[in-house]
Amino acid sequence: MDWSEHISPDAADIAHMAKEAIAGLPQPYRAAAAEVTLRVEDFAPEPILDEMRIADAFDLTGLYDGIPLIEKSVMDQPDGPDTIWLFRRPILDEWAARGDVALGDLVAHVFVHELAHHFGWSDEDIARIDRWWE
């Protein structure tokens, strides 16, 4: 295949795929999921990698930054909105390495995994909601 006419998906494409994943969520979660801020960057910023002690930026595909709903209190003074970060280049790298999953499915999986932190879902909850491996 001649790849000279193809470009990789940009941040807007990845964001669109993540937002499409919201439609696949069970009804009680759709509206709340849509309220979470979504940021797509090529890689995690260095301070985040340093804080998480991650040496290789390709090892982090997504991140939830916020206070999970099950832990929120009216007394909380948040620094900013609850945010899900998706890191485009590590996602594309994982997608290429796997070769067995559609990119939209992988983006949805990473997004839902980070959304699980927001909702306070258990691994069992995630497995019921995100059956991307099927």
Side-chain angles (χ1 to χ4, degrees), residues 28-29 66-67 69 71-72 74 80 82 94 97 104 106-107 124 133:
Y29 302 109
I67 300 171
L69 291 177
E71 297 175 15
K72 282 191 191 269
V74 294
D82 292 326
E94 180 177 337
L106 181 59
V107 170
E124 293 79 23
W133 64 87

Side-chain angles (χ1 to χ4, degrees), residues 35-38 64-69 72 78 80-84 118:
E35 295 297 317
V36 176
T37 299
L38 175 63
Y64 171 69
D65 182 18
I67 300 171
L69 291 177
K72 282 191 191 269
D82 292 326
T83 303
I84 291 177
H118 176 66

Side-chain angles (χ1 to χ4, degrees), residues 16 19 32 48 65 69-70 90 128:
H16 179 74
K19 289 178 182 177
I48 289 175
D65 182 18
L69 291 177
I70 60 173
R128 280 193 304 275

Side-chain angles (χ1 to χ4, degrees), residues 69-88:
L69 291 177
I70 60 173
E71 297 175 15
K72 282 191 191 269
S73 162
V74 294
M75 301 303 290
D76 286 328
Q77 295 297 313
D79 293 332
D82 292 326
T83 303
I84 291 177
W85 298 66
L86 297 179
F87 304 116
R88 187 182 74 89

